[in-house]
Amino acid sequence: MTQKRMFFAAGTVAVLAAAGIGYLAGSTTSPSEQSAPPAAVSPSAEPTSGTTDQSAYQAVFDRDDLTWKLHSGIVEIPFSRAHGPRVTEGGWSRGFARTPQGAVLAAIHIIFQTGGGTGVPRAAQEAALAEQVVGAEADHYRERSLASAGPAEGVGRIVLEGYRIISYTEHAAKVEFTTAAVKEQVERAGTTVVVVWQDGDWRMVAPSLETLEGFRVLDSLDGFIEFPR
């Protein structure tokens, strides 16, 4: 990976996954050469019950149902009347529909409001971390998120482009969404997130930050559904 792409990846991870500055910038290997596959999640986080709804793979959003709001001054994220979030009081989003689209939105909102440099009020970030993050890595994820100084300088505006649903049941979903930063050329990244349905809402299974779990650099949007705008 070139130095430029490594810098972009480091900044994106800081924004999207609270990995903090330097996980890639200080590394001499690309994400694919790290100790875990770039788009992998821990086996315990994989959906293990129910059958994947085949129609979920092509789940699309209604353009007229989506509104976009600027988050952290760097990225616009989608809100849906049909799929959530239903509640945004207190500076954090929750209440997502038990649908493939609801799972996609939950993954995006939870990442952006719990990660380092989120831009949400500290109390809101703490509430989101306490209520919406689960799994074996949850404590570590919370600690690193709260300790992060924020995204890398010079990352600039990030565009949320598309998504793909890797697996979906009514109990758990695995989704990947793409972001791009446009400078001299488009630098694109994919972030894979597992969410599980608990106590009436989607919760994010905390990724491992040590291995950049769930993050990869992309060359195109092949295989992804673009968000309507």
Side-chain angles (χ1 to χ4, degrees):
M1 182 184 295
T2 67
Q3 183 177 4
K4 179 181 176 182
R5 288 171 69 86
M6 288 170 66
F7 174 77
F8 164 71
T12 303
V13 171
V15 174
L16 300 182
I21 301 169
Y23 269 89
L24 282 183
S27 172
T28 57
T29 59
S30 69
S32 61
E33 295 169 334
Q34 298 283 340
S35 58
V41 294
S42 60
S44 61
E46 295 284 356
T48 56
S49 60
T51 302
T52 294
D53 181 352
Q54 297 300 311
S55 65
Y57 295 125
Q58 297 301 319
V60 297
F61 290 92
D62 182 346
R63 181 191 304 271
D64 295 333
D65 180 53
L66 287 185
T67 58
W68 295 82
K69 298 180 182 180
L70 188 63
H71 188 284
S72 302
I74 59 171
V75 63
E76 289 185 335
I77 59 176
F79 291 71
S80 163
R81 291 184 297 275
H83 304 288
R86 295 188 305 272
V87 182
T88 57
E89 287 88 350
W92 60 289
S93 305
R94 63 266 197 202
F96 297 91
R98 199 173 190 177
T99 61
Q101 295 94 324
V104 171
L105 292 174
I108 292 168
H109 279 259
I110 295 172
I111 278 285
F112 277 107
Q113 66 194 11
T114 60
T118 61
V120 302
R122 176 76 171 202
Q125 183 190 19
E126 291 176 346
L129 285 165
E131 298 293 334
Q132 294 176 293
V133 179
V134 300
E137 294 286 333
D139 289 343
H140 186 205
Y141 181 87
R142 292 184 189 110
E143 290 173 2
R144 293 304 298 263
S145 295
L146 293 172
S148 174
E153 294 181 3
V155 173
R157 183 63 65 89
I158 294 173
V159 178
L160 188 61
E161 293 185 306
Y163 63 95
R164 68 186 183 104
I165 297 170
I166 301 168
S167 61
Y168 177 83
T169 74
E170 64 178 2
H171 305 293
K174 183 178 179 182
V175 304
E176 183 178 20
F177 62 89
T178 68
T179 52
V182 181
K183 293 189 177 180
E184 295 178 5
Q185 62 185 35
V186 175
E187 298 285 2
R188 182 171 286 116
T191 302
T192 298
V193 181
V194 171
V195 293
V196 294
W197 186 264
Q198 291 184 4
D199 300 324
D201 205 357
W202 293 109
R203 322 281 170 174
M204 183 183 76
V205 178
S208 169
L209 303 184
E210 297 297 341
T211 59
L212 290 178
E213 187 177 54
F215 174 83
R216 61 174 176 153
V217 173
L218 299 172
D219 293 322
S220 74
L221 283 175
D222 290 348
F224 291 87
I225 300 172
E226 293 188 50
F227 284 103
R229 292 179 181 270

